[in-house]
Every structure is written in C-alpha cells, then in structure tokens.
Amino acid sequence: MSLIRLEPRGQASKTMVYVTPLLAVALTLLSGFILFLAMGFDPVKALHAFFIAPLTSVRGLGELVVKATPLVLCAVGLAIGFRANVWNIGAEGQLTLGAITGGGLALAFYGEGGWWLLPLMVVGGAVGGAAWAAVPAFLRLRFNASEILTSLMLNYVALLLLNYVVHGPYRDPDGFAFPESRLFESDAVLPILWAGTRVHLGALFALLAVAGGWLLIARTFVGFQIKVIGLTPAAAGYAGFDQKRIVWLTLLLSGALAGIAGMGEVAGPIGQVTAGISPGYGYTAIIVAFLGRLHPVGILLAALLMALSFIGGEAAQIALGLPKAITGVFQGMLLFFLLASDVLIRYRVRFGARRAEA
C-alpha cells in the first residue's frame, strides 16, 4: 500500500490558500538552484543576479515598478472575471489593441496636442481593449463559444493587426522603413513620477486599479454577485442575478484595464508604437492573478515578484550569459508549482498505509 496519500479535508483550508503561494515560490527557487547547477553555472551567483542584484540600485527599483505596472492593470481585471468563472485569456491581445488605439490618437493629433491628449489616449486605450474583449463576450453569450479559446485566438489576430499598422499607416515616414511609428510628442507621453527612473503616471493607474478592484469586490452589490456566480451559479440563478450582465461587465472591464496598460506602454517607456510592445505581460498576468489569490492586494505583491523575473532575467543574461528563455522557465515553474500546491487546499498529506476498516 502507498506510504504517502492524500486525504480529503472536511472543508477547504483557509491557511493553505495563503501558504501555497509561498510554497510555490520556495519550490521554484529550489528548482532554479538545481537547474543552474545542471547548466554548469554557480547557482548562488545566478540566483543573486536574478533576484537580488536588480534591487540594489535606484534604476533597478524603478524598472521593477515599470514592469509591474502593466501586470497589475491586466491581472486585476482578469481576477475579477476569474472570480465569476469568466476565463479571459486574451489580455495580451486587449493590451495590444489598447496600444494601437491609444497610440493611434497620439499620431492622429501629432503637432496639435494639448493637455487633453493624454486623457483622450487613456479613454482610447480603454475603449480599444474593451472592444476586443467584447468579441469573446458576444460569442459566449450568443453561440455558447468558450471564451478561453476565442480570447486566446484573438491574441494572435491582435498581433497581426499590430504588425500591419507599424508596417503601414503608423510607420514613421522618416524612419527608413523600420516597423515603428514616429516618436510621440511631449503632450502624448506620460509624465515621469520618479526622477532618474522610467516610473511614469501609469504606476498611479495601477494603484487606482488595485483600490478600485478591492472596492468593487468587497464593498459593492455587483462584487457580491460576481462572487456568488463564481461559487454557486445555481444559487445565483435562483436569486435572480443576471449572469449575462456579469459576463459582459467582467470581460469589458478586464479588456479596458488591459487596454490602458497597452496605452501606458506606448505612451510611457516606449514612447512610440512598435512591433514589440509587450514581452508577454498579458499571459504573465494570468500567473499574477492566481499567485495573488485573485485579491487586488495580493496581485500587487505578485506583480512585483513577476516583474522581478523580467528584469532579473535581463540582468542574468548580461552578467552570466544565461539564455533569454530562462525568464519563461522560471515563470512556468512558478505556475506549475502553484497549481500543484493548490491541491493542499482541499487535501492533506498523510504518511503511512491506510488502516484497514473492521
């Protein structure tokens, strides 16, 4: 008989809900140690370069905030939908559309800008992301199509659309045919909040999203509906909650936040529309949402950790010559261990053979 077995808990463990993310991080670090050792690198130096060195300078701390900003915006929106069993996997595409629409406004009013241009770009980015999210919402409610598949496939359509605009209507006429727009004028660039870094106004948007997400879930009747629909759809239907309305709300909201994140990228650290807006923020935001336990404050902390994986990967490439893919490996291991550890929420580990019943 098995010496190690899983025994169902009487009810889900609230303690393990918060312990398992820490366990997943610890297992990821342990696996990284073994991985670096197998690759022939000093694991202590490699982990130091990956997780500690980026935090030892003002520039590194600034980059941490810059990378965390789009992750927070995307993940807060995704988490609200996930709580209602609305599985939006299309934040990457919605971020891209927000960059296209928000950046398009900066180019359309080039040379004619004023104080009103940035607010208009924020609205444009939100509308672009929400419009892209409306497609899977409509397909789910009209044809019962899985939003997982439709939102995921739209990511690739958005990338193709981005490639089209940077090679076509958005391309800088004085840019020697490079696939990028002209640099935005000052009225279309988010102001810097921390001198000597690239931390911009988008970081404030992220904090507002965290506060707004918490208020929505914890202090409004709509938030209560979202939680009930996610936990017990039958009870929600019996109570008369409009599930179609919640699907529309959560997808449009998550799309709008992702769109603002995309606008923040082109109007912030990039300063123009290019073919490489995102290194995968929309996909990483899914990990951030679950690592943060779908709670806005937890998402903020998880986003900082995942942002560290981005800048730490770049630092490790420079310092030790590690391959670029190492960032994706760490993020993948973290998601794997998080999902594996979650079994401990509903099961407890028992050692020894099960006693034979009389």
Side-chain angles (χ1 to χ4, degrees), residues 26 56 59 64 74 93-94 100 148 175 187 193 217 224 239-240 244 296 307-308 314 336:
T56 57
R59 181 182 179 278
L64 183 71
C74 291
Q94 292 144 25
I100 292 173
I148 296 174
D187 287 332
L193 299 181
I217 294 298
F224 175 72
K244 291 184 177 181
L308 181 59
E314 295 171 358
F336 172 79

Coordinates of all heavy atoms in Angstrom, one line a residue, residues 26 56 59 64 74 93-94 100 148 175 187 193 217 224 239-240 244 296 307-308 314 336:
A26 N 9.1 29.0 -3.0 CA 10.2 28.3 -2.5 C 10.6 27.1 -3.4 O 11.8 26.9 -3.6 CB 9.9 27.8 -1.1
T56 N 19.4 46.4 -6.1 CA 20.4 47.1 -5.4 C 20.7 48.5 -5.9 O 21.7 49.2 -5.5 CB 21.7 46.3 -5.4 OG1 22.1 46.0 -6.8 CG2 21.5 45.0 -4.7
R59 N 17.9 52.6 -10.3 CA 17.4 52.3 -11.6 C 16.7 50.9 -11.6 O 15.6 50.7 -12.2 CB 18.5 52.2 -12.6 CG 18.1 51.9 -14.0 CD 19.3 51.8 -15.0 NE 18.9 51.5 -16.3 CZ 18.6 50.2 -16.7 NH1 18.7 49.2 -15.9 NH2 18.2 50.0 -18.0
L64 N 11.6 47.8 -11.8 CA 10.7 46.9 -11.2 C 9.2 47.4 -11.2 O 8.3 46.7 -11.5 CB 11.1 46.6 -9.7 CG 10.3 45.6 -8.9 CD1 10.5 44.2 -9.4 CD2 10.6 45.7 -7.4
C74 N -3.5 44.5 -15.9 CA -4.1 43.3 -16.6 C -4.6 42.3 -15.6 O -5.7 41.8 -15.7 CB -3.1 42.6 -17.5 SG -2.6 43.6 -18.9
G93 N -3.9 40.3 -26.2 CA -4.5 41.0 -27.3 C -5.2 42.3 -27.0 O -5.1 43.2 -27.7
Q94 N -5.8 42.3 -25.8 CA -6.5 43.5 -25.4 C -5.5 44.6 -25.1 O -5.7 45.8 -25.4 CB -7.4 43.2 -24.2 CG -8.6 42.3 -24.6 CD -9.0 41.3 -23.5 OE1 -8.7 41.5 -22.3 NE2 -9.6 40.2 -23.9
I100 N -2.6 50.1 -29.8 CA -2.9 50.6 -31.2 C -3.9 51.8 -31.2 O -3.6 52.8 -31.9 CB -3.5 49.4 -32.0 CG1 -2.5 48.3 -32.2 CG2 -4.1 49.9 -33.3 CD1 -3.0 47.0 -32.9
I148 N -12.3 31.0 -23.4 CA -10.9 30.6 -23.3 C -10.3 30.5 -24.7 O -9.2 31.1 -24.9 CB -10.8 29.3 -22.6 CG1 -11.3 29.4 -21.1 CG2 -9.3 28.8 -22.6 CD1 -11.3 28.1 -20.4
G175 N 11.4 57.2 -41.0 CA 12.1 56.2 -40.2 C 12.8 55.2 -41.0 O 13.1 54.1 -40.4
D187 N 3.2 66.1 -25.3 CA 1.9 66.0 -24.8 C 1.3 64.6 -24.8 O 0.2 64.4 -24.2 CB 1.0 67.0 -25.6 CG 1.3 68.4 -25.4 OD1 1.7 68.8 -24.2 OD2 1.1 69.3 -26.3
L193 N 7.2 60.1 -12.7 CA 6.9 60.3 -11.3 C 8.2 60.2 -10.4 O 8.2 60.8 -9.3 CB 5.9 59.3 -10.8 CG 4.5 59.2 -11.5 CD1 3.7 58.2 -10.9 CD2 3.9 60.6 -11.4
I217 N -15.1 44.4 -5.4 CA -15.3 43.0 -4.9 C -15.8 43.0 -3.5 O -16.8 42.2 -3.1 CB -14.1 42.2 -5.1 CG1 -13.7 42.0 -6.5 CG2 -14.2 40.8 -4.4 CD1 -14.7 41.2 -7.3
F224 N -20.6 41.3 -4.9 CA -21.2 40.2 -4.3 C -21.8 39.2 -5.3 O -21.7 38.0 -5.2 CB -22.3 40.7 -3.3 CG -23.1 39.6 -2.7 CD1 -22.6 38.8 -1.7 CD2 -24.5 39.3 -3.1 CE1 -23.4 37.7 -1.1 CE2 -25.2 38.3 -2.5 CZ -24.7 37.5 -1.5
A239 N -31.4 33.3 -7.1 CA -31.5 34.7 -6.5 C -31.9 35.7 -7.6 O -32.1 36.9 -7.2 CB -30.2 35.1 -5.8
G240 N -31.9 35.3 -8.9 CA -32.2 36.3 -9.9 C -31.1 37.1 -10.4 O -31.3 38.1 -11.1
K244 N -25.6 37.0 -17.6 CA -25.1 37.5 -18.8 C -24.6 38.9 -18.6 O -23.5 39.3 -19.2 CB -26.3 37.6 -19.8 CG -26.8 36.2 -20.3 CD -27.8 36.4 -21.4 CE -28.2 35.0 -21.9 NZ -29.3 35.1 -23.0
P296 N -6.9 41.9 -5.1 CA -6.1 43.0 -5.6 C -4.8 43.3 -4.9 O -3.8 43.6 -5.6 CB -7.1 44.2 -5.5 CG -8.4 43.6 -5.6 CD -8.3 42.3 -4.9
A307 N 7.5 40.9 -12.0 CA 8.3 41.9 -12.7 C 9.8 41.7 -12.4 O 10.6 41.9 -13.3 CB 7.9 43.3 -12.1
L308 N 10.1 41.2 -11.2 CA 11.5 40.9 -10.8 C 12.0 39.8 -11.7 O 13.2 39.8 -12.1 CB 11.6 40.5 -9.4 CG 13.0 40.2 -8.8 CD1 13.9 41.4 -9.0 CD2 12.9 39.8 -7.4
E314 N 16.9 39.7 -17.5 CA 17.8 40.5 -18.3 C 19.1 40.7 -17.7 O 20.2 40.7 -18.3 CB 17.1 41.9 -18.5 CG 15.8 41.8 -19.4 CD 15.0 43.1 -19.4 OE1 15.5 44.0 -18.7 OE2 14.0 43.2 -20.0
F336 N 3.5 26.1 -12.5 CA 3.4 24.7 -12.2 C 3.3 24.3 -10.7 O 2.4 23.6 -10.3 CB 4.5 24.0 -12.9 CG 4.6 22.5 -12.6 CD1 3.8 21.6 -13.2 CD2 5.5 22.0 -11.6 CE1 3.8 20.2 -12.9 CE2 5.5 20.7 -11.3 CZ 4.7 19.8 -11.9

